[in-house]
Amino acid sequence: MIKYVTFGIAISFISWIVGMICNSMLIQTKYYEKLSNLNFITSKSLNTYIGLNYFKWIVKNTPFRFFNQKIRLQNKKAELTEIRKEMTIAEVSHLIGFIFVTSIALYKGFSDNYLFAILISLVNIPMNLYPALLQQENKRRIDRFRKRIE
């Protein structure tokens, strides 16, 4: 069972690279604008219910905070449009990674072992889906702030 979880963690880290590569190709298409405004969960209470606040705390207070320095507010003069763009890149990359790992989990579930697929999926959710949902929430916060300024 430990090897299944280890494989899930490894494939999730690999999926980050796959997501970045696919995103760099996708960013040049006309469909990317539609992808930049995705909102899967718009309800703040549902985000709280699924534990997104706990996930946000983990990202802010562990070494994960050092992963993407481009989406940090360093000072009050930060360009919100640029930060939102970087958040979109991170969000779409994580979504691509989520789909990549989900397809591997489905393959393993049908061909090898359904427990293997479940454990891969349980690792994939916090490694890829939650970061994408967190980016969506942060982009909504930036959009609300920009509307107040205007």
Side-chain angles (χ1 to χ4, degrees):
M1 189 143 118
I2 296 295
K3 70 178 181 178
Y4 296 161
V5 174
T6 305
F7 180 81
I9 292 169
I11 199 69
S12 291
F13 275 111
I14 291 168
S15 74
W16 292 353
I17 296 167
V18 170
M20 287 187 283
I21 292 168
C22 292
N23 189 36
S24 66
M25 291 185 285
L26 192 62
I27 205 167
Q28 299 169 0
T29 66
K30 62 182 177 180
Y31 304 108
Y32 198 77
E33 182 64 32
K34 292 179 185 177
L35 289 175
S36 68
N37 293 313
L38 292 175
N39 277 313
F40 295 134
I41 301 175
T42 57
S43 168
K44 216 172 191 184
S45 60
L46 185 56
N47 278 337
T48 302
Y49 180 74
I50 65 170
L52 202 58
N53 291 337
Y54 297 116
F55 183 77
K56 185 188 302 186
W57 184 90
I58 290 168
V59 170
K60 285 170 62 174
N61 296 300
T62 63
F64 285 110
R65 72 177 177 260
F66 299 115
F67 277 12
N68 195 345
Q69 294 293 309
K70 292 181 181 179
I71 57 175
R72 294 180 62 101
L73 286 172
Q74 299 295 342
N75 55 33
K76 301 284 186 193
K77 296 179 182 178
E79 181 61 42
L80 294 178
T81 306
E82 189 62 31
I83 292 173
R84 190 183 190 289
K85 178 183 160 202
E86 292 297 329
M87 285 179 176
T88 301
I89 291 169
E91 171 197 357
V92 173
S93 295
H94 278 294
L95 289 174
I96 292 168
F98 180 75
I99 293 167
F100 174 74
V101 175
T102 300
S103 63
I104 291 172
L106 288 172
Y107 171 75
K108 289 293 189 182
F110 288 123
S111 67
D112 292 337
N113 184 344
Y114 71 91
L115 179 62
F116 194 13
I118 291 171
L119 289 173
I120 291 172
S121 298
L122 288 175
V123 172
N124 189 28
I125 290 170
M127 298 284 282
N128 279 314
L129 183 60
Y130 272 41
L133 294 176
L134 182 61
Q135 296 305 336
Q136 287 179 2
E137 180 182 321
N138 289 337
K139 287 188 328 185
R140 286 191 299 270
R141 288 174 48 210
I142 285 176
D143 291 343
R144 282 193 306 267
F145 183 72
R146 285 174 47 192
K147 281 183 183 177
R148 269 190 264 155
I149 290 174
E150 293 172 359

